Amino acid sequence: MADNLKAHVIATVKSLMKPIIMLLLRNGVTYKEFAVLCKSIFVEAAAQDYGIRGRPTNVSRIAVLTGIDRKEVKRIKDLLQENVLALEAQSSQDRITRILTAWHRDPEFSDDEHQARPLPIEGEHGSFQSLVRRFGGDVPRQALFKEMLRVGVIAKQDDRVTPLSRYYFPAQSDPQALLRAGSVISELGETLFHNLYVVDDSKPTSKYRRRFERRASNNQVDSRYVKAFHAFLEAEGQAFLERVDAWLSEHEVAEPPTGEAVPEKRANATTSVRLGVGVFAIEKSDRDTGN
């Protein structure tokens, strides 16, 4: 039974890894480099998630779990550092999307039909400066202005700024597009893992509840309707995501104005969590599916 389950796990991982391997090959990452990376991820995952009674996982237990000798585990643990680059990229993408969404929704920056207005660069109200001050966090206005110009989501004409997009989606050639792809795969994988191994209906806390994960697909769709399906999904999926985005914005934790000290955490202080949903298209031909 255990061997059969392991075979299913290996088959699942093979299916999961193929697009990742394709991404690595496309960007010149060799098997040897990938093997070194995998070793460090094995150690990192075992160290974070497999401690006994909430304690950090020790070197010996990591060695048993991963099959990597103790000396090598210790060396990798000493070298592991938090992936600050990926976290900063995700934060930057979220921040730009948040600004663009507010630009289209907040009456200070949009019209009655939720159309974003061109904004003067500076001003206490109804300006790009006030937009960034309210929705840009602690990032300086000039830094965000330059980044949004660079990625092509705004345009400047004289002393006014106009949005060119409602959402920030990195260009394929942009390194941040790769980091975004990694975050999408990671968050989907975390949801699947949670539903497989963390869900416990006997525990009432939200940590153990099943997370929403669904698919709608059909293997017998007439290929003439592929273009129509993508148009349908573009409209319906975008509308759904905008409703989700509005709900999330309405339930944000209030942030102190820029420059004010963050109050010390109290026992009943409000905490924040990352919530969201992803929508993606599925498309495979008969040749892809092996039919």
Side-chain angles (χ1 to χ4, degrees):
M1 179 65 179
D3 289 343
N4 189 44
L5 180 59
K6 192 170 184 177
H8 280 80
V9 170
I10 291 172
T12 299
V13 171
K14 181 179 177 181
S15 176
L16 171 66
M17 289 301 299
K18 186 174 180 181
I20 295 174
I21 298 301
M22 291 167 62
L23 184 150
L24 295 174
L25 293 173
R26 175 66 64 89
N27 291 278
V29 179
T30 67
Y31 166 75
K32 186 175 181 180
E33 291 170 320
F34 179 59
V36 171
L37 175 63
C38 279
K39 186 183 290 187
S40 69
I41 296 172
F42 263 80
V43 172
E44 184 177 19
Q48 289 179 348
D49 300 323
Y50 289 88
I52 298 174
R53 291 187 289 276
R55 294 195 298 267
T57 320
N58 61 37
V59 169
S60 297
R61 180 165 169 77
I62 294 174
V64 171
L65 287 168
T66 63
I68 303 170
D69 69 72
R70 293 177 71 257
K71 185 176 180 180
E72 180 69 356
V73 167
K74 186 178 186 309
R75 185 187 71 82
I76 293 172
K77 279 195 72 177
D78 291 341
L79 292 174
L80 277 175
Q81 295 179 349
E82 187 177 13
N83 191 354
V84 175
L85 178 62
L87 291 175
E88 287 182 349
Q90 181 64 56
S91 176
S92 173
Q93 293 167 26
D94 289 348
R95 185 178 290 111
I96 291 175
T97 293
R98 181 182 180 186
I99 289 172
L100 292 170
T101 299
W103 202 336
H104 285 81
R105 287 189 169 275
D106 193 289
E108 182 178 339
F109 313 104
S110 63
D111 60 26
D112 293 339
E113 297 181 355
H114 296 303
Q115 296 297 315
R117 295 186 284 104
L119 302 177
I121 294 176
E122 297 183 353
E124 288 301 312
H125 301 285
S127 67
F128 185 78
Q129 181 182 28
S130 63
L131 175 68
V132 171
R133 184 169 60 241
R134 286 182 56 189
F135 300 100
D138 58 357
V139 177
R141 186 256 300 173
Q142 191 61 22
L144 268 172
F145 178 73
K146 289 180 178 179
E147 179 64 12
M148 293 174 76
L149 274 176
R150 185 187 72 82
V151 299
V153 296
I154 62 172
K156 177 180 178 293
Q157 185 173 12
D158 298 326
D159 62 345
R160 304 185 80 80
V161 186
T162 303
L164 302 179
S165 174
R166 191 161 187 146
Y167 283 89
Y168 171 40
F169 194 91
Q172 190 174 11
S173 58
D174 192 327
Q176 287 202 14
L178 289 171
L179 293 172
R180 179 188 178 278
S183 72
V184 171
I185 294 171
S186 173
E187 289 176 338
L188 175 58
E190 287 170 2
T191 292
L192 295 171
F193 182 88
H194 175 89
N195 288 348
L196 283 169
Y197 300 110
V198 180
V199 170
D200 188 341
D201 294 333
S202 67
K203 297 180 179 179
T205 59
S206 61
K207 176 182 177 181
Y208 298 98
R209 292 176 188 157
R210 184 173 299 278
R211 296 175 185 171
F212 183 87
E213 184 272 311
R214 305 284 191 278
R215 285 188 299 180
S217 63
N218 188 314
N219 292 339
Q220 302 297 323
V221 179
D222 189 324
S223 61
R224 292 175 297 174
Y225 294 101
V226 170
K227 186 176 180 180
F229 170 72
H230 284 294
F232 163 79
L233 185 60
E234 187 72 26
E236 295 295 324
Q238 182 68 26
F240 169 66
L241 288 176
E242 288 185 11
R243 291 197 300 274
V244 171
D245 186 80
W247 190 97
L248 294 172
S249 296
E250 290 170 4
H251 295 82
E252 286 182 343
V253 175
E255 294 183 0
T258 303
E260 287 191 10
V262 179
E264 294 184 6
K265 287 188 177 181
R266 300 182 300 274
N268 61 346
T270 302
T271 59
S272 61
V273 296
R274 177 173 168 80
L275 294 178
V277 63
V279 177
F280 61 96
I282 300 169
E283 181 179 345
K284 286 190 176 183
S285 66
D286 288 348
R287 183 182 60 186
D288 296 329
T289 58
N291 293 335

